[in-house]
Amino acid sequence: MNEDLKVNVSGLPPDYLDAAAAENASAAVSSRVPAGEPEPELAVNPWDIVLCTSGTLISCENAIVVLIIFHNPSLRAPMFLLIGSLALADLLAGVGLIVNFVFAYLLQSEATKLVTIGLIVASFSASVCSLLAITVDRYLSLYYALTYHSERTVNFTYVMLVMLWGTSICLGLLPVLGWNCLRDESTCSVVRPLTKNNAAVLSVSFLFMFALMLQLYVQICKIVLRHAHQIALQHHFLATSHYVTTRKGVSTLAIILGTFAACWMPFTLYSLIADYTYPSIYTYATLLPATYNSVINPVIYAFRNQEIQKALCLVCCGCIPSGIAQRARSPSDV
């Protein structure tokens, strides 16, 4: 009998008590269930900002070279065509870095990732291939000095340009056409969505081209030393003057090749030994110097050239400084 009695000591209606009890029960349950945490605001990786800034500098610097060569009809020799190819490739690489930053934080999708990585791979591949083509052109201009300025050289230059850009575009299309790791993350390399095998192919190709460039520059160095010695004998230069001239030429070659190796070798070797499980900071730390090579290229190959200096001065101030106009080319200018 007593078990069936329920005492209402609050003086409130029974219906109200039942509703309050149900509300308290639901509140107790909800207090035990963790509330959904608000999504964190989109943070910008400082490394991405640095890469985007580097891309902006690359684009501006190489755009100047491309415009000078394109708008100056006198700069149509094979050497300037190859320098223009290098500047265009680096310009596209800079644009790729900027686009990668924009797509990564504003337009995230699989399609944008593939397009961006394809553009970056194609442009940097064209940049490295253009450096190799410039090395080949310099070797031919010294080894075949008498027949270099001929129609055959121009045709050979066009063939090199078609081959290097065709190869670079094909390499850039590989991720877009399906050779990527978007469906299988375990196959990813240090640069997603490139696969480990794709990165290995690019790295081995770079090492092969670097070895070829090294061999060509050794031959160029020998030719420069021989030419400088012959000029010294003809003009009866002193031994000290001959030593200074040849040393300058060798130093120039060493700086060119050393800069190229210092910029690209860390990322190349890292891509061979690492994969997606490695900390991303190592990828950024090795990739950033590689982008600096595109910053340095215009200084080494374009702005040091006397003809491009003249064209740049005409555009900027409408005159040619006497120091540039009267400067003679020496054996060290390689």
Side-chain angles (χ1 to χ4, degrees):
M1 183 80 178
N2 293 335
E3 293 177 357
D4 296 334
L5 295 177
K6 295 182 180 179
V7 181
N8 184 1
V9 295
S10 63
L12 296 175
D15 294 341
Y16 186 88
L17 287 176
D18 293 340
E23 183 178 353
N24 291 336
S26 62
V29 172
S30 62
S31 65
R32 292 193 298 269
V33 177
E37 297 181 358
E39 295 184 359
E41 295 183 1
L42 187 63
V44 180
N45 190 333
W47 286 99
D48 289 332
I49 297 177
V50 175
L51 284 177
C52 183
T53 304
S54 178
T56 305
L57 178 60
I58 292 170
S59 300
C60 296
E61 193 177 13
N62 286 279
I64 296 174
V65 180
V66 172
L67 291 176
I68 289 176
I69 295 178
F70 180 78
H71 287 288
N72 197 327
S74 63
L75 301 179
R76 293 295 181 269
M79 173 179 60
F80 297 113
L81 293 177
L82 295 175
I83 292 177
S85 172
L86 175 63
L88 178 60
D90 288 334
L91 171 61
L92 293 177
V95 172
L97 293 175
I98 298 173
V99 171
N100 176 68
F101 180 83
V102 174
F103 283 172
Y105 293 98
L106 298 179
L107 300 172
Q108 295 185 6
S109 68
E110 290 187 358
T112 56
K113 290 179 181 179
L114 294 176
V115 171
T116 303
I117 196 64
L119 175 60
I120 293 176
V121 169
S123 55
F124 277 121
S125 298
S127 177
V128 175
C129 290
S130 295
L131 291 175
L132 177 59
I134 290 175
T135 306
V136 173
D137 178 74
R138 285 180 168 178
Y139 172 77
L140 295 177
S141 66
L142 293 174
Y143 192 80
Y144 300 102
L146 297 179
T147 60
Y148 174 75
H149 299 283
S150 63
E151 189 68 23
R152 185 174 62 179
T153 303
V154 177
N155 295 334
F156 179 72
T157 302
Y158 283 123
V159 171
M160 283 198 300
L161 289 174
V162 171
M163 290 181 61
L164 74 88
W165 278 101
T167 303
S168 301
I169 292 174
C170 289
L171 290 175
L173 287 176
L174 289 179
V176 180
L177 296 178
W179 200 7
N180 58 70
C181 63
L182 292 179
R183 298 292 181 266
D184 186 6
E185 188 176 353
S186 63
T187 62
C188 284
S189 66
V190 293
V191 179
R192 195 174 184 272
L194 289 182
T195 64
K196 179 70 175 176
N197 292 335
N198 194 343
V201 169
L202 294 174
S203 299
V204 172
S205 300
F206 169 82
L207 293 175
F208 173 77
M209 287 189 288
F210 176 75
L212 185 56
M213 288 178 62
L214 179 61
Q215 177 64 24
L216 287 173
Y217 271 121
V218 169
Q219 298 301 321
I220 291 174
C221 185
K222 293 180 180 179
I223 297 174
V224 169
L225 293 174
R226 185 169 64 250
H227 285 185
H229 179 69
Q230 293 174 353
I231 294 175
L233 293 178
Q234 292 175 2
H235 294 80
H236 305 288
F237 287 165
L238 296 177
T240 303
S241 177
H242 170 256
Y243 173 74
V244 171
T245 302
T246 54
R247 186 183 64 177
K248 183 179 179 182
V250 174
S251 299
T252 302
L253 295 176
I255 291 173
I256 292 173
L257 196 61
T259 301
F260 177 68
C263 290
W264 276 106
M265 199 60 71
F267 180 72
T268 301
L269 298 178
Y270 180 70
S271 299
L272 282 175
I273 63 176
D275 55 25
Y276 74 100
T277 60
Y278 283 61
S280 61
I281 188 173
Y282 297 149
T283 303
Y284 284 112
T286 53
L287 179 60
L288 191 59
T291 64
Y292 290 159
N293 186 68
S294 296
V295 178
I296 300 172
N297 283 338
V299 178
I300 294 178
Y301 295 95
F303 297 139
R304 288 177 65 248
N305 185 275
Q306 184 175 345
E307 298 300 325
I308 294 181
Q309 289 178 4
K310 291 180 181 179
L312 184 60
C313 291
L314 286 174
V315 172
C316 295
C317 61
C319 62
I320 300 177
S322 58
I324 297 178
Q326 298 176 0
R327 191 180 66 183
R329 185 176 177 85
S330 68
S332 63
D333 295 331
V334 294

